[in-house]
PDB file of all heavy atoms in Angstrom:
ATOM      1  N   ARG A 236     -15.551   8.983 -57.451  1.00 85.00           N
ATOM      2  CA  ARG A 236     -15.355  10.338 -58.040  1.00 85.00           C
ATOM      3  C   ARG A 236     -16.468  11.219 -57.524  1.00 85.00           C
ATOM      4  O   ARG A 236     -17.440  10.738 -56.808  1.00 85.00           O
ATOM      5  CB  ARG A 236     -15.346  10.211 -59.432  1.00 85.00           C
ATOM      6  CG  ARG A 236     -16.660   9.823 -60.143  1.00 85.00           C
ATOM      7  CD  ARG A 236     -16.513   9.663 -61.666  1.00 85.00           C
ATOM      8  NE  ARG A 236     -17.576   8.776 -62.145  1.00 85.00           N
ATOM      9  CZ  ARG A 236     -18.896   9.142 -62.266  1.00 85.00           C
ATOM     10  NH1 ARG A 236     -19.239  10.429 -62.086  1.00 85.00           N
ATOM     11  NH2 ARG A 236     -19.706   8.352 -62.728  1.00 85.00           N
ATOM     12  N   PRO A 237     -16.335  12.541 -57.707  1.00 83.00           N
ATOM     13  CA  PRO A 237     -17.383  13.391 -57.112  1.00 83.00           C
ATOM     14  C   PRO A 237     -18.728  13.209 -57.744  1.00 83.00           C
ATOM     15  O   PRO A 237     -18.840  12.661 -58.760  1.00 83.00           O
ATOM     16  CB  PRO A 237     -16.823  14.889 -57.572  1.00 83.00           C
ATOM     17  CG  PRO A 237     -15.405  14.697 -57.868  1.00 83.00           C
ATOM     18  CD  PRO A 237     -15.273  13.262 -58.376  1.00 83.00           C
ATOM     19  N   ASN A 238     -19.770  13.467 -56.835  1.00 86.00           N
ATOM     20  CA  ASN A 238     -21.097  13.318 -57.192  1.00 86.00           C
ATOM     21  C   ASN A 238     -21.722  12.058 -57.393  1.00 86.00           C
ATOM     22  O   ASN A 238     -22.901  11.946 -57.846  1.00 86.00           O
ATOM     23  CB  ASN A 238     -21.369  14.180 -58.568  1.00 86.00           C
ATOM     24  CG  ASN A 238     -21.521  15.623 -58.117  1.00 86.00           C
ATOM     25  OD1 ASN A 238     -22.136  16.002 -57.191  1.00 86.00           O
ATOM     26  ND2 ASN A 238     -20.919  16.458 -58.905  1.00 86.00           N
ATOM     27  N   VAL A 239     -21.082  11.031 -57.141  1.00 89.00           N
ATOM     28  CA  VAL A 239     -21.687   9.601 -57.271  1.00 89.00           C
ATOM     29  C   VAL A 239     -22.592   9.364 -56.001  1.00 89.00           C
ATOM     30  O   VAL A 239     -23.361   8.349 -56.056  1.00 89.00           O
ATOM     31  CB  VAL A 239     -20.558   8.531 -57.465  1.00 89.00           C
ATOM     32  CG1 VAL A 239     -19.857   8.655 -58.744  1.00 89.00           C
ATOM     33  CG2 VAL A 239     -19.624   8.562 -56.223  1.00 89.00           C
ATOM     34  N   GLY A 240     -22.396  10.144 -55.045  1.00 88.00           N
ATOM     35  CA  GLY A 240     -23.301  10.029 -53.849  1.00 88.00           C
ATOM     36  C   GLY A 240     -22.543   9.397 -52.574  1.00 88.00           C
ATOM     37  O   GLY A 240     -23.226   8.816 -51.777  1.00 88.00           O
ATOM     38  N   LYS A 241     -21.293   9.642 -52.402  1.00 86.00           N
ATOM     39  CA  LYS A 241     -20.604   9.230 -51.235  1.00 86.00           C
ATOM     40  C   LYS A 241     -21.095   9.814 -49.940  1.00 86.00           C
ATOM     41  O   LYS A 241     -21.350   9.123 -48.972  1.00 86.00           O
ATOM     42  CB  LYS A 241     -19.054   9.589 -51.387  1.00 86.00           C
ATOM     43  CG  LYS A 241     -18.361   8.868 -52.577  1.00 86.00           C
ATOM     44  CD  LYS A 241     -16.947   9.161 -52.617  1.00 86.00           C
ATOM     45  CE  LYS A 241     -16.543  10.589 -52.737  1.00 86.00           C
ATOM     46  NZ  LYS A 241     -17.128  11.217 -53.999  1.00 86.00           N
ATOM     47  N   SER A 242     -21.126  11.114 -50.041  1.00 83.00           N
ATOM     48  CA  SER A 242     -21.760  11.726 -48.700  1.00 83.00           C
ATOM     49  C   SER A 242     -23.177  11.299 -48.478  1.00 83.00           C
ATOM     50  O   SER A 242     -23.591  10.940 -47.270  1.00 83.00           O
ATOM     51  CB  SER A 242     -21.749  13.332 -48.923  1.00 83.00           C
ATOM     52  OG  SER A 242     -20.442  13.699 -49.304  1.00 83.00           O
ATOM     53  N   SER A 243     -23.984  11.211 -49.482  1.00 86.00           N
ATOM     54  CA  SER A 243     -25.388  10.743 -49.348  1.00 86.00           C
ATOM     55  C   SER A 243     -25.410   9.312 -48.717  1.00 86.00           C
ATOM     56  O   SER A 243     -26.176   9.037 -47.834  1.00 86.00           O
ATOM     57  CB  SER A 243     -26.184  10.819 -50.630  1.00 86.00           C
ATOM     58  OG  SER A 243     -25.925  12.053 -51.200  1.00 86.00           O
ATOM     59  N   LEU A 244     -24.438   8.531 -49.252  1.00 89.00           N
ATOM     60  CA  LEU A 244     -24.504   7.151 -48.734  1.00 89.00           C
ATOM     61  C   LEU A 244     -24.064   7.051 -47.194  1.00 89.00           C
ATOM     62  O   LEU A 244     -24.719   6.303 -46.330  1.00 89.00           O
ATOM     63  CB  LEU A 244     -23.450   6.299 -49.476  1.00 89.00           C
ATOM     64  CG  LEU A 244     -23.383   4.839 -49.077  1.00 89.00           C
ATOM     65  CD1 LEU A 244     -24.660   3.987 -49.552  1.00 89.00           C
ATOM     66  CD2 LEU A 244     -22.146   4.239 -49.659  1.00 89.00           C
ATOM     67  N   ASP A 282     -14.853   9.591 -45.525  1.00 64.00           N
ATOM     68  CA  ASP A 282     -15.331  10.028 -46.781  1.00 64.00           C
ATOM     69  C   ASP A 282     -14.239  10.787 -47.478  1.00 64.00           C
ATOM     70  O   ASP A 282     -14.002  12.032 -47.049  1.00 64.00           O
ATOM     71  CB  ASP A 282     -16.634  10.885 -46.574  1.00 64.00           C
ATOM     72  CG  ASP A 282     -17.255  11.388 -47.875  1.00 64.00           C
ATOM     73  OD1 ASP A 282     -16.798  10.991 -48.985  1.00 64.00           O
ATOM     74  OD2 ASP A 282     -18.161  12.249 -47.721  1.00 64.00           O
ATOM     75  N   ASN A 344     -24.653   3.109 -56.956  1.00 95.00           N
ATOM     76  CA  ASN A 344     -25.545   3.953 -56.441  1.00 95.00           C
ATOM     77  C   ASN A 344     -26.568   4.609 -57.297  1.00 95.00           C
ATOM     78  O   ASN A 344     -26.361   4.634 -58.517  1.00 95.00           O
ATOM     79  CB  ASN A 344     -24.944   5.044 -55.555  1.00 95.00           C
ATOM     80  CG  ASN A 344     -25.774   5.881 -54.675  1.00 95.00           C
ATOM     81  OD1 ASN A 344     -26.706   5.411 -54.098  1.00 95.00           O
ATOM     82  ND2 ASN A 344     -25.508   7.132 -54.553  1.00 95.00           N
ATOM     83  N   LYS A 345     -27.703   5.091 -56.827  1.00 94.00           N
ATOM     84  CA  LYS A 345     -28.699   5.842 -57.643  1.00 94.00           C
ATOM     85  C   LYS A 345     -29.455   4.850 -58.405  1.00 94.00           C
ATOM     86  O   LYS A 345     -29.944   5.281 -59.596  1.00 94.00           O
ATOM     87  CB  LYS A 345     -28.046   6.880 -58.529  1.00 94.00           C
ATOM     88  CG  LYS A 345     -27.224   7.883 -57.779  1.00 94.00           C
ATOM     89  CD  LYS A 345     -26.923   9.203 -58.553  1.00 94.00           C
ATOM     90  CE  LYS A 345     -25.860  10.022 -57.949  1.00 94.00           C
ATOM     91  NZ  LYS A 345     -25.446  11.227 -58.518  1.00 94.00           N
ATOM     92  N   VAL A 346     -29.709   3.642 -57.908  1.00 94.00           N
ATOM     93  CA  VAL A 346     -30.623   2.638 -58.758  1.00 94.00           C
ATOM     94  C   VAL A 346     -31.949   3.133 -58.859  1.00 94.00           C
ATOM     95  O   VAL A 346     -32.798   2.700 -59.670  1.00 94.00           O
ATOM     96  CB  VAL A 346     -30.449   1.182 -58.134  1.00 94.00           C
ATOM     97  CG1 VAL A 346     -29.136   0.662 -58.298  1.00 94.00           C
ATOM     98  CG2 VAL A 346     -30.969   1.268 -56.692  1.00 94.00           C
ATOM     99  N   ASP A 347     -32.415   4.186 -58.122  1.00 95.00           N
ATOM    100  CA  ASP A 347     -33.856   4.643 -58.226  1.00 95.00           C
ATOM    101  C   ASP A 347     -33.958   5.366 -59.455  1.00 95.00           C
ATOM    102  O   ASP A 347     -35.045   5.549 -60.017  1.00 95.00           O
ATOM    103  CB  ASP A 347     -34.023   5.658 -57.069  1.00 95.00           C
ATOM    104  CG  ASP A 347     -33.020   6.714 -56.977  1.00 95.00           C
ATOM    105  OD1 ASP A 347     -31.930   6.411 -56.605  1.00 95.00           O
ATOM    106  OD2 ASP A 347     -33.397   7.845 -57.256  1.00 95.00           O
ATOM    107  N   LEU A 348     -32.810   5.621 -60.278  1.00 92.00           N
ATOM    108  CA  LEU A 348     -33.032   6.424 -61.474  1.00 92.00           C
ATOM    109  C   LEU A 348     -33.248   5.547 -62.648  1.00 92.00           C
ATOM    110  O   LEU A 348     -33.316   5.914 -63.818  1.00 92.00           O
ATOM    111  CB  LEU A 348     -31.689   7.272 -61.743  1.00 92.00           C
ATOM    112  CG  LEU A 348     -31.437   8.479 -60.780  1.00 92.00           C
ATOM    113  CD1 LEU A 348     -30.132   9.117 -61.207  1.00 92.00           C
ATOM    114  CD2 LEU A 348     -32.617   9.425 -60.853  1.00 92.00           C
ATOM    115  N   VAL A 370     -27.858  -0.068 -54.814  1.00 96.00           N
ATOM    116  CA  VAL A 370     -28.196   0.763 -53.636  1.00 96.00           C
ATOM    117  C   VAL A 370     -28.769   2.097 -54.144  1.00 96.00           C
ATOM    118  O   VAL A 370     -28.452   2.621 -55.191  1.00 96.00           O
ATOM    119  CB  VAL A 370     -26.979   1.195 -52.639  1.00 96.00           C
ATOM    120  CG1 VAL A 370     -27.224   2.190 -51.746  1.00 96.00           C
ATOM    121  CG2 VAL A 370     -26.448  -0.223 -52.012  1.00 96.00           C
ATOM    122  N   SER A 371     -29.634   2.711 -53.347  1.00 96.00           N
ATOM    123  CA  SER A 371     -30.034   4.036 -53.558  1.00 96.00           C
ATOM    124  C   SER A 371     -29.950   4.771 -52.186  1.00 96.00           C
ATOM    125  O   SER A 371     -30.691   4.517 -51.235  1.00 96.00           O
ATOM    126  CB  SER A 371     -31.581   4.172 -54.077  1.00 96.00           C
ATOM    127  OG  SER A 371     -31.976   5.572 -53.935  1.00 96.00           O
ATOM    128  N   ALA A 372     -28.885   5.645 -52.166  1.00 92.00           N
ATOM    129  CA  ALA A 372     -28.783   6.354 -50.861  1.00 92.00           C
ATOM    130  C   ALA A 372     -29.958   7.317 -50.825  1.00 92.00           C
ATOM    131  O   ALA A 372     -30.226   7.615 -49.628  1.00 92.00           O
ATOM    132  CB  ALA A 372     -27.539   7.287 -51.136  1.00 92.00           C
ATOM    133  N   LEU A 373     -30.600   7.603 -51.843  1.00 91.00           N
ATOM    134  CA  LEU A 373     -31.824   8.529 -51.766  1.00 91.00           C
ATOM    135  C   LEU A 373     -33.001   7.847 -51.156  1.00 91.00           C
ATOM    136  O   LEU A 373     -33.599   8.361 -50.124  1.00 91.00           O
ATOM    137  CB  LEU A 373     -32.171   9.010 -53.146  1.00 91.00           C
ATOM    138  CG  LEU A 373     -33.154  10.265 -53.199  1.00 91.00           C
ATOM    139  CD1 LEU A 373     -32.430  11.581 -52.678  1.00 91.00           C
ATOM    140  CD2 LEU A 373     -33.575  10.468 -54.652  1.00 91.00           C
ATOM    141  N   THR A 374     -33.395   6.657 -51.647  1.00 94.00           N
ATOM    142  CA  THR A 374     -34.639   6.052 -51.091  1.00 94.00           C
ATOM    143  C   THR A 374     -34.238   5.056 -50.061  1.00 94.00           C
ATOM    144  O   THR A 374     -35.207   4.542 -49.339  1.00 94.00           O
ATOM    145  CB  THR A 374     -35.188   5.238 -52.232  1.00 94.00           C
ATOM    146  OG1 THR A 374     -34.399   4.151 -52.637  1.00 94.00           O
ATOM    147  CG2 THR A 374     -35.686   6.148 -53.431  1.00 94.00           C
TER     148      THR A 374
HETATM  149  P1  GDP B   1     -20.520  12.779 -53.422  1.00 94.44           P
HETATM  150  O1  GDP B   1     -19.782  14.064 -54.105  1.00 94.44           O
HETATM  151  O2  GDP B   1     -20.023  11.707 -54.080  1.00 94.44           O
HETATM  152  O3  GDP B   1     -20.279  12.976 -52.025  1.00 94.44           O
HETATM  153  O4  GDP B   1     -21.968  12.943 -53.805  1.00 94.44           O
HETATM  154  P2  GDP B   1     -23.151  13.592 -53.028  1.00 94.44           P
HETATM  155  O5  GDP B   1     -23.556  12.639 -51.928  1.00 94.44           O
HETATM  156  O6  GDP B   1     -22.936  14.858 -52.621  1.00 94.44           O
HETATM  157  O7  GDP B   1     -24.310  13.382 -54.092  1.00 94.44           O
HETATM  158  C1  GDP B   1     -24.253  14.105 -55.300  1.00 94.44           C
HETATM  159  C2  GDP B   1     -25.647  14.188 -55.799  1.00 94.44           C
HETATM  160  O8  GDP B   1     -26.204  13.052 -56.182  1.00 94.44           O
HETATM  161  C3  GDP B   1     -26.529  14.957 -54.853  1.00 94.44           C
HETATM  162  O9  GDP B   1     -27.361  15.815 -55.713  1.00 94.44           O
HETATM  163  C4  GDP B   1     -27.437  13.805 -54.369  1.00 94.44           C
HETATM  164  O10 GDP B   1     -28.622  14.251 -53.958  1.00 94.44           O
HETATM  165  C5  GDP B   1     -27.488  12.919 -55.546  1.00 94.44           C
HETATM  166  N1  GDP B   1     -27.660  11.513 -55.148  1.00 94.44           N
HETATM  167  C6  GDP B   1     -26.936  10.868 -54.181  1.00 94.44           C
HETATM  168  N2  GDP B   1     -27.362   9.607 -54.121  1.00 94.44           N
HETATM  169  C7  GDP B   1     -28.439   9.440 -54.827  1.00 94.44           C
HETATM  170  C8  GDP B   1     -29.302   8.411 -55.167  1.00 94.44           C
HETATM  171  O11 GDP B   1     -29.219   7.313 -54.742  1.00 94.44           O
HETATM  172  N3  GDP B   1     -30.338   8.639 -56.087  1.00 94.44           N
HETATM  173  C9  GDP B   1     -30.474   9.838 -56.629  1.00 94.44           C
HETATM  174  N4  GDP B   1     -31.469   9.945 -57.399  1.00 94.44           N
HETATM  175  N5  GDP B   1     -29.650  10.827 -56.438  1.00 94.44           N
HETATM  176  C10 GDP B   1     -28.596  10.713 -55.538  1.00 94.44           C
END
Side-chain angles (χ1 to χ4, degrees):
R236 63 185 161 83
N238 279 321
V239 291
K241 296 184 297 299
S242 311
S243 308
L244 181 74
D282 177 10
N344 189 35
K345 308 193 188 181
V346 291
D347 56 291
L348 293 177
V370 169
S371 168
L373 194 68
T374 65

